[in-house]
């Protein structure tokens, strides 16, 4: 995660076994998307993350897995 400060030098993900799952896309929808983008400017630099205008606050993550692409609404 981009907004968590891990303690120590070793990131916790390095201790997990390889799963073959990779984040393909993270979409964050918000009624004030421009304000949210401005507030997070410089914090979320991953091109897989997109902030878009939406009627309600919402988040959707899409993963590439060994069993194909999966989306968590």
């Amino acid at each position: 995660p981009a907004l968590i400060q891990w303690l120590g030098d070793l990131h916790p993900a390095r201790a997990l076994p390889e799963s073959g799952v990779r984040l393909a896309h993270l979409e964050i929808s918000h009624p004030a998307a421009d304000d949210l983008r401005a507030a997070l400017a410089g914090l979320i630099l991953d091109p897989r993350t997109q902030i878009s205008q939406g009627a309600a606050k919402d988040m959707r993550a899409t993963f590439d897995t060994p069993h194909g692409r999966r989306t968590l609404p």
Side-chain angles (χ1 to χ4, degrees):
L3 303 177
I4 296 176
Q5 183 176 355
W6 303 108
L7 299 176
D9 294 332
L10 182 62
H11 189 283
R14 301 220 186 266
L16 297 172
E18 177 56 47
S19 65
V21 177
R22 299 284 181 267
L23 178 68
H25 186 79
L26 177 65
E27 182 179 358
I28 302 167
S29 298
H30 195 279
D34 290 338
D35 294 336
L36 183 58
R37 253 187 242 101
L40 297 176
L43 296 175
I44 298 180
L45 305 175
D46 193 315
R48 297 171 295 178
T49 302
Q50 180 180 19
I51 299 172
S52 59
Q53 189 72 29
K57 299 172 189 171
D58 191 27
M59 191 179 321
R60 180 178 304 173
T62 301
F63 297 91
D64 289 324
T65 78
H67 305 287
R69 189 163 271 201
R70 302 287 189 259
T71 301
L72 300 176

